[in-house]
Amino acid sequence: MKHLFQFLIIIVFSFIGEFLHHFIPLPIPACIYGIVIMFLCLELHIVPLSAVKETGDFLVKIMPIMFVPAAVGLLSVWDSIADKWFEYLVICLVTTLIVMFISGKVTDWVLKK
């Protein structure tokens, strides 16, 4: 029952993000609104970390499984992208390196604060 309640808390923040996305005309995904609000609530101790920790840890552990449907979707359109696979690979590698670099710099900055 505890895990269900923790998951419900996470889902509530997700719905708040969806609600804000509907009413705020910015090109920001709804999940980002929800993540930022949840982060703020955790940082300001409005929601204690213990209220979502176990379920959050579980969701992070199973995260790779969530990418399986996307990979299967790529296989279903392989005929369309087969001739451009190298370009897609280069884009994925370059953007991954950029995200890793920026994430590292932001993390360094936050840790120094």
Side-chain angles (χ1 to χ4, degrees), residues 52-63:
V52 294
K53 180 161 179 37
E54 292 172 0
T55 301
D57 287 342
F58 170 74
L59 291 172
V60 169
K61 286 179 187 174
I62 67 164
M63 189 183 297

Side-chain angles (χ1 to χ4, degrees), residues 35-90:
I35 289 171
V36 168
I37 293 169
M38 184 166 199
F39 172 75
L40 291 173
C41 287
L42 289 169
E43 278 296 310
L44 298 173
H45 302 289
I46 296 169
V47 175
L49 181 59
S50 61
V52 294
K53 180 161 179 37
E54 292 172 0
T55 301
D57 287 342
F58 170 74
L59 291 172
V60 169
K61 286 179 187 174
I62 67 164
M63 189 183 297
I65 296 170
M66 303 302 170
F67 290 102
V68 171
V72 171
L74 281 177
L75 292 176
S76 68
V77 295
W78 183 252
D79 295 337
S80 302
I81 64 174
D83 57 336
K84 296 180 180 164
W85 70 270
F86 185 74
E87 290 89 346
Y88 288 122
L89 182 65
V90 169

Side-chain angles (χ1 to χ4, degrees), residues 5-19:
F5 184 69
Q6 289 183 2
F7 188 69
L8 180 65
I9 293 171
I10 295 170
I11 292 296
V12 165
F13 282 102
S14 179
F15 282 131
I16 291 170
E18 290 289 338
F19 179 79

